[in-house]
Amino acid sequence: MKYLMLIYGNEQVWNSVDAEEFAKLVGEVDAFNAALRDSGEFVDAQGLVSRPRSVRVVENTPVVTDGPYLEAKEYVGSYFVVDVETEQRALEIARSYPALRYSRGIGGGIEVWPLMDHSGGDL
């Protein structure tokens, strides 16, 4: 089964991380991704550029506005996709994501979403 891991960030969290600590975190995330590649569970990972757009229908017309749509202190900053045998394994991977320890109880985290295949079933 494939799972999408949405990684949430929080400006207060990231502004509190100094450059040396951030570089260490990047190295840990790179090692985390390499371990998933080596295990065959890694599918994809991408950071998101901080310039989202929202498309919503207003009076029967699709309207594009600056996003994200919802106002929040947290935002989706990146994602990764894994292909694993069980949901328990997906959750184990999510719990081990290195950046989680930086949340310090003030925001950030990971949402774990099972992906559907083209027939509408679970992968």
Side-chain angles (χ1 to χ4, degrees), residues 29-42:
V29 170
D30 288 346
F32 173 86
N33 289 340
L36 288 175
R37 276 187 197 91
D38 291 346
S39 73
E41 296 170 311
F42 182 86

Side-chain angles (χ1 to χ4, degrees), residues 2 4 6 13 19 23 28-29 40 61 72 75 82 84 106 112 117 119 121:
K2 290 183 182 173
L4 170 68
L6 293 176
V13 171
E28 291 173 5
V29 170
T61 304
Y75 56 91
V82 295
V84 296
I106 56 176
V112 179
D117 64 19
S119 68

Side-chain angles (χ1 to χ4, degrees), residues 81-98:
V81 177
V82 295
D83 190 353
V84 296
E85 292 295 320
T86 65
E87 180 182 44
Q88 289 73 28
R89 176 62 181 142
L91 294 172
E92 179 183 309
I93 291 168
R95 284 192 299 267
S96 69
Y97 187 69

Side-chain angles (χ1 to χ4, degrees), residues 58-118:
V58 177
E59 297 178 6
N60 296 321
T61 304
V63 176
V64 178
T65 60
D66 289 340
Y69 173 65
L70 299 173
E71 292 293 325
K73 291 182 180 180
E74 296 179 353
Y75 56 91
V76 178
S78 59
Y79 73 87
F80 64 99
V81 177
V82 295
D83 190 353
V84 296
E85 292 295 320
T86 65
E87 180 182 44
Q88 289 73 28
R89 176 62 181 142
L91 294 172
E92 179 183 309
I93 291 168
R95 284 192 299 267
S96 69
Y97 187 69
L100 286 177
R101 74 174 183 278
Y102 288 86
S103 68
R104 300 179 175 104
I106 56 176
I110 297 179
E111 286 185 0
V112 179
W113 288 77
L115 296 177
M116 291 188 294
D117 64 19
H118 295 291

Side-chain angles (χ1 to χ4, degrees), residues 50-64:
S50 183
R51 192 171 179 240
R53 300 291 181 254
S54 175
V55 180
R56 304 200 28 100
V57 175
V58 177
E59 297 178 6
N60 296 321
T61 304
V63 176
V64 178

